[in-house]
Every structure is written in C-alpha cells, then in structure tokens.
Amino acid sequence: MKLAKKKITVGITGGIAAYKAADLVSWLHQQGADVQVMMTKGAQEFISPLLLHALSGHVVIIDMFANDDKLHIPHIYGVDGADLFIIAPATANIMAKAAHGIADEVVSASILAATCPILFVPAMNFHMYENIATQENMEILQRRGYHVLEAEEGRMACGTVGKGRFPEAAVLQDAVMKILFPKQDLAGKKVLITAGPTREQIDPVRYLSNYSSGKMGYALAEAARDRGADVTLVSGPVKLLAPAGITVIPVVTAEEMYQATLACYGEMDIVIGAAAVADYRPDQTASQKIKKQGAAKDGIQLNLVANPDILQALGAAKKHQYLVGFAAETENLLENAEKKLIAKKADMIIANDVSQPGVGFEVDNNAVTLVTKDGHYVLPQMTKQALAEKIWDYIMVAAEKKNQ
Ligand code: PMT
C-alpha cells in the first residue's frame, strides 16, 4: 500500500503488449493508488475497457468527445490532479504524436494537458523501435523532461528477437516508485518511531494522558516510508489512520510502549522517540469505577510512580543505532535539550517549545530545534509533514557523519 493517496493515470495505446497494462493497473490499485485509465482505439483492439474498469474501479476514458457529466472534459479530467501519467504500452505512433504536439484523441490530448510527470513505456517490433524516427521522437521526449523507459531485449509476439519488449513488471514498478518518490535515501534502512500519547489507567473509566495526537510521529514515519525505509511505528492511542506500508504496533500504556520498543530495537538502524510518554502512572489501578461517595465524595488522592524511561533505556542499550529523542519544553529550550542529549545518550534531540501557539501538541504545524553534539539547527514553523522531510534530511547527514 505504498501508493496510498497517489492519483495515477494510465494511458494504454494500440500495441500487442496492451494486455500487460492490465497487470500494471492491477498492481497500482493494489498498492492503494487511485487509478484512472484511458485508451486509444487501437488499444481497444487488444484489450477491453470493461476489464480495465473492473481493475481500476473507474470508468475508462475512451472518447474525447464523450458527453458525460462525470468525465466532464475527458482529456482534462483524466489527468487533473494526477501524480503520474503512465503511457503503457507506448506505441511509436503515440510517441510521435507527443513529440510533435498532436492531440487528436484522448491519450495524446491528455499528454499535452498533463502537468504531472509522464512515463512512456515503449513496446513494439524491434525494427520499429530501432527506426530513426522512433529513436529521435524518444530523444525529443526525453529532452522535454518526460521519462522514457528503455524497452527490453527478447523475443516478441511478432517472432522477431531484439529490443522492443515491454519491461518486466518489477522493472516497471521500480521506475514508477523512483519517479513518485525520487528521494530513496532511506532504502534498506530499518526505522522505528514511537508516536502519540500513552494512557495510564486510574480505574476502568478514567486515565491520565496528554494532548499528543501522534501527527508528528506519523509524519516522520510516512516520510521515512516514502524514502524507502522499512518502518515500524509503535503508536499510542490516536485518531489517525494506520498509514499504509508501515508496520504499526498499537500500545496504550508507557509500559507497553517500553516493551514493544525494546523488543525490536536491536534490529533497527534509526530510532526516533516522538511519543509523549507519560512519566508517571498511578501506583494502583482500581478494578471498579471509583464512586464519588464516602471518603471519595470530596476528592481522592493519587499516588503516582515513575514509568520506565524508554529513551533512557534505548540510550543505555545503544549499539549501531542512530538514536533521536524529542524534548517538549516550555522554557530554556536549548539548555534542556542539550541536557537530555547527554543524559539519554541520544545522537540528536528534536526540541520543540510546546508553550508556543500554533505548534506542538495536536496542531498541524511545528517548529523545532535539532540538537546534536556538533551544534544545533533551527527549523522554523511549517507543517509536520514538511518538517518530517527536513528532519530526515538532517538525520541522514548526521548519521552518515557518525558512521564515518
Ligand atoms: O503528537 P503531536 O500532537 O503531533 O505532538 C507532537 C509532540 C509535541 C508530542 C512531539 O513533537 C514531542 O515533543 N514529543 C515528545 C513529547 C515528550 O514526551 O517529550 P519529553 O521532553 O517529555 O520526553 C523527552 C523524550 O523522552 C521524548 O523522546 C520522549 O518520547 C521520551 N520519553 C519520555 C518519557 C518516558 N517515560 N519515556 C520516554 O522515552
């Protein structure tokens, strides 16, 4: 489900490899993408729009002059808001049209209307592929910034052997991911992130907690996933949807978060403690709801005992891991963060002043100062998603430096 929230348009043109476009559409859909298919008349000679409708879940766009409210103006609607437009297979004809701005049917017109990246996947007879006209058209397209995937060598349906085959699924899928997620600097890294609050029970209906929504931790987890990391997210109770393509371990109490985090710490390369872990819990949990009667009528006393300090334990057990903690402060931000960096044996502390309006707990924005032994770096207020990208940029630089 690595393509959740991505809108991808697939334009199928009239090559015998059109049937392979069905596998592509199916894969995109299974990865969570919202897939809109469009087809030239030639493509419909090889594969039926009905099949692509079934695989994508959307009506296939085949007629630029369709009088259909839903599709509105087909060659605009089909690529409006798309993150990627894949022409697969791409015939010599469609590439010639695209190279010369011809827009006489829905796919070629959509190529001109698209504002997103376009990936051409050429597949045709070997001699057509090697023809100077085709080669020059592909060069024109590449010069204009379009992506043109090189055809593969092999035997083709027409019996010839040579370059012109539709690529293997894995090659095409890899090309798609590299365009959608250009930064794959976390590929091969195992990342663990804690996020959200913990809840410390008083009785079956009451608990102690805090205002953490999990947004900061989830943004860091999703950014790491999109940059190729294998992400595990240990999450306190939050209202956020479990993000696709990430292993989510739900926990409630600090003790549970401690157990879950330490259990997988050894295999991790980078760990970020973004969770707002309750420092204390009631030393006793009532088995029944405490009634406001008798001695409890005017109030109750809670004796709070310390919870395990997860970041402290991670620091003490650190081997090869790059360990990042947060600091939620209301004063002396830098001083408190520097103390935490040393006390927890962390490699970086991400400090945020949670007393400032519009940043910190619950809201969509944050402002942080990254503190390491080499100094500190201020990241001004921005969305937690944008901040997550910048935090990963700095972690990758700092982690490289540490490993040198
Ligand atoms: O979740 P959001 O609504 O998006 O809000 C984001 C945030 C404000 C929660 C986040 O940016 C943040 O500051 N998280 C850390 C909150 C916190 O507990 O900070 P702290 O200074 O109390 O703890 C310091 C570090 O120790 C943190 O990495 C924390 O995860 C960790 N800790 C704290 C207590 C404890 N018992 N075990 C821990 O591991």
Side-chain angles (χ1 to χ4, degrees), residues 62-317:
I62 54 177
D63 177 359
M64 191 154 78
F65 304 104
N67 179 18
D68 176 329
D69 283 347
K70 169 97 177 62
L71 296 182
H72 193 40
I73 304 173
H75 59 288
I76 305 298
Y77 164 85
V79 286
D80 185 29
D83 295 290
L84 177 61
F85 185 14
I86 307 172
I87 318 291
T91 55
N93 181 45
I94 197 70
M95 292 195 292
K97 285 183 182 178
H100 296 85
I102 294 170
D104 60 356
E105 47 70 52
V106 71
V107 176
S108 52
S110 299
I111 289 169
L112 286 189
T115 55
C116 63
I118 299 183
L119 170 63
F120 289 87
V121 187
M124 64 198 78
N125 164 277
F126 161 60
H127 297 300
M128 291 176 73
Y129 186 78
E130 293 297 334
N131 186 295
I132 188 67
T134 307
Q135 291 294 317
E136 284 180 355
N137 288 331
M138 289 194 289
E139 282 164 20
I140 291 170
L141 295 174
Q142 284 170 320
R143 274 206 307 275
R144 290 192 189 141
Y146 294 127
H147 303 270
V148 180
L149 198 57
E150 193 172 0
E152 293 190 350
E153 301 258 358
R155 175 175 297 281
M156 273 161 283
C158 53
T160 56
V161 177
K163 219 175 211 184
R165 268 173 69 90
F166 192 87
E168 290 303 317
V171 171
L172 179 49
Q173 292 165 12
D174 186 53
V176 167
M177 295 304 277
K178 280 198 168 60
I179 295 169
L180 286 173
F181 306 113
K183 249 189 189 174
Q184 292 293 298
D185 52 348
L186 283 165
K189 298 288 184 196
K190 287 181 74 67
V191 166
L192 170 67
I193 294 173
T194 66
T198 63
R199 285 181 183 167
E200 311 302 327
Q201 203 165 21
I202 297 170
D203 64 21
V205 298
R206 299 180 181 93
Y207 58 78
L208 297 174
S209 189
N210 58 63
Y211 298 105
S212 172
S213 64
K215 288 176 184 174
M216 188 72 251
Y218 277 56
L220 284 160
E222 290 169 355
R225 170 202 63 197
D226 289 352
R227 291 165 75 155
D230 174 349
V231 182
T232 299
L233 177 62
V234 177
S235 174
V238 296
K239 294 187 176 66
L240 304 175
L241 288 174
I246 288 174
T247 304
V248 179
I249 303 174
V251 296
V252 176
T253 66
E255 180 63 31
E256 288 171 2
M257 188 174 275
Y258 173 82
Q259 296 299 338
T261 303
L262 271 294
C264 54
Y265 182 51
E267 65 192 65
M268 295 299 162
D269 299 306
I270 302 170
V271 175
I272 304 180
V277 187
D279 284 319
Y280 305 98
R281 67 178 186 278
D283 67 346
Q284 288 174 353
T285 299
S287 55
Q288 299 299 330
K289 180 184 173 185
I290 299 168
K291 304 302 288 176
K292 275 180 62 183
Q293 58 195 21
K297 191 167 176 307
D298 299 325
I300 58 174
Q301 298 294 322
L302 291 179
N303 179 41
L304 302 183
V305 293
N307 271 323
D309 186 327
I310 302 168
L311 186 63
Q312 182 93 39
L314 296 174

